[in-house]
Amino acid sequence: RDGVARQDFASRFAGARVVDDLTTPTPPDFNSPYVALEGDLRAGRCWRILQTSAQLGVKLAQQIEVTHLSIDHIPGELVMNLTHAPRDIILWGVTDTMLFPLLQYVEDPIWLSISRRTPALTKDGQIVVPLAVIQYNISSSDIIQTFPVPDSIFANGTFSLFIVDILNNWGAEWTCLYRVRIHGKAMV
């Protein structure tokens, strides 16, 4: 009904959960990061982060071959400004084994620099794989923006654990993530 027409494996209602030790801490009087997995686009029903960058660890109920990432934000007509919306985001797949097909990085300076970076909150032994680098556009008329995971990044790699790494926002002192969706093909 919202035009995405893809299964949301990161939905709380599909069994996804927030991974606390891979998620930026939230003050107790703020909305839980779980609101970003629910899709309630009422004003203020976002995961409010007290800084411009943060990360959200998401554990899916099953392994998927990820194909797309969607970010939803509240319409501009409902808020005074959109500068608290996330801007640049990296979607990471997290694993503890190299028993999946190795990455086939594109010979692109952006991907090469990203592949040398890691999210701030990871545990020893975890391997993080950059799957998509996206930018949410606050000037777009689409409040739900869906971004493909490039086919050339990896071949048939599957994940059930992800990090949504928000690098910055559009100029506010804090960031508000309304919804994140992870789409793909379920592995049986």
Side-chain angles (χ1 to χ4, degrees):
R1 293 181 189 144
D2 57 18
V4 175
R6 299 178 194 281
Q7 184 174 352
D8 177 14
F9 290 95
S11 169
R12 185 175 189 178
F13 307 108
R17 65 178 176 81
V18 170
V19 180
D20 291 333
D21 57 353
L22 295 177
T23 300
T24 303
T26 305
D29 55 336
F30 280 47
N31 289 334
S32 157
Y34 273 100
V35 299
L37 305 181
E38 294 174 355
D40 184 347
L41 292 183
R42 291 178 291 166
R45 287 287 301 162
C46 66
W47 177 43
R48 186 173 176 186
I49 306 147
L50 293 179
Q51 60 265 5
T52 58
S53 62
Q55 67 182 57
L56 175 64
V58 180
K59 174 73 172 156
L60 308 185
Q62 64 189 88
Q63 293 270 119
I64 67 165
E65 181 180 329
V66 65
T67 60
H68 294 81
L69 172 70
S70 293
I71 302 293
D72 302 21
H73 197 72
I74 195 166
E77 350 17 287
L78 299 180
V79 291
M80 293 179 54
N81 70 60
L82 293 174
T83 60
H84 60 276
R87 183 175 180 161
D88 297 304
I89 299 170
I90 302 172
L91 177 65
W92 300 91
V94 182
T95 186
D96 58 5
T97 179
M98 286 300 287
L99 298 177
F100 63 91
L102 291 178
L103 296 178
Q104 301 167 357
Y105 286 110
V106 181
E107 292 298 320
D108 177 307
I110 294 172
W111 278 107
L112 291 174
S113 67
I114 293 299
S115 68
R116 293 185 191 104
R117 183 187 184 284
T118 57
L121 302 174
T122 54
K123 294 188 240 177
D124 289 340
Q126 286 182 323
I127 299 162
V128 291
V129 179
L131 301 174
V133 179
I134 63 111
Q135 184 176 85
Y136 185 86
N137 181 357
I138 60 172
S139 299
S140 173
S141 59
D142 295 324
I143 62 168
I144 303 168
Q145 297 174 25
T146 300
F147 306 90
V149 171
D151 290 336
S152 58
I153 298 303
F154 67 97
N156 300 319
T158 62
F159 301 91
S160 64
L161 182 57
F162 296 89
I163 295 173
V164 179
D165 195 1
I166 301 168
L167 305 180
N168 52 34
N169 64 23
W170 287 91
E173 293 180 9
W174 51 275
T175 302
C176 208
L177 179 62
Y178 275 87
R179 185 174 183 188
V180 62
R181 307 182 205 197
I182 299 172
H183 313 290
K185 299 173 192 162
M187 306 318 298
V188 186

